[in-house]
Amino acid sequence: MQFKFLLADDDRDDQEILMEAILQDHPDTQIHTVFNGQKVLDYLAERTPAEWPSLIILDYKMPVMNATEVLERMQHINIPKVVWSTSNQPEHMQTCRQLGAVKYFIKPNNRAELKAMVQELFRICRGAAA
């Protein structure tokens, strides 16, 4: 099964690190990147539901719209959403989960944590596809 991810993060280095980790284990995954929350909504609006991604990954702090603002506007959209962030604030995690994020990841500090995160992303996708 081929998965499509939409990755929203305003830090190009973080985007590249995560994309590299995903493609290393799952080279057939399609990944589209955007740099702010509004672009997530624009991306979905420009496509039919059949073209939507299998998973949306949101950085918590982004320009234009942060993850909570995006999640608020996407509560009716049936796509698994996860947040990844340098913020480990419990209120950020709780708010994102209440708004529909299935998981809140603290951005990994090492390869082992990154690999575990990627494995969890694919478990989430497989669970949603079942």
Side-chain angles (χ1 to χ4, degrees):
M1 177 180 293
Q2 184 181 39
F3 293 107
K4 294 188 290 190
F5 289 0
L6 175 57
L7 170 58
D9 195 318
D10 59 318
D11 185 316
R12 188 175 301 278
D13 290 338
D14 284 352
Q15 281 187 358
E16 289 177 10
I17 288 167
L18 183 54
M19 288 190 317
E20 213 172 86
I22 291 168
L23 295 173
Q24 182 175 352
D25 285 349
H26 300 87
D28 58 340
T29 303
Q30 295 177 20
I31 305 170
H32 181 80
T33 59
V34 295
F35 292 96
N36 69 60
Q38 180 61 52
K39 294 293 184 188
V40 172
L41 302 177
D42 295 346
Y43 179 87
L44 296 174
E46 294 165 358
R47 285 158 182 77
T48 67
E51 298 170 311
W52 283 353
S54 317
L55 179 73
I56 297 173
I57 305 164
L58 302 167
D59 180 26
Y60 184 82
K61 291 184 180 178
M62 292 183 288
V64 185
M65 262 189 243
N66 68 25
T68 58
E69 294 168 314
V70 175
L71 289 167
E72 281 177 350
R73 288 164 177 82
M74 292 188 355
Q75 290 186 44
H76 65 284
I77 294 176
N78 191 23
I79 300 170
K81 301 162 221 45
V82 300
V83 175
W84 80 318
S85 179
T86 55
S87 171
N88 62 357
Q89 297 294 316
E91 60 271 13
H92 292 172
M93 295 177 194
Q94 182 179 2
T95 300
C96 288
R97 296 294 298 263
Q98 288 172 340
L99 291 172
V102 295
K103 188 81 175 180
Y104 187 106
F105 295 97
I106 304 302
K107 288 187 179 181
N109 291 321
N110 59 55
R111 288 205 176 277
E113 289 177 3
L114 184 59
K115 186 170 182 68
M117 179 185 155
V118 168
Q119 289 171 344
E120 182 67 17
L121 294 176
F122 282 93
R123 273 195 289 278
I124 291 166
C125 284
R126 287 185 192 99

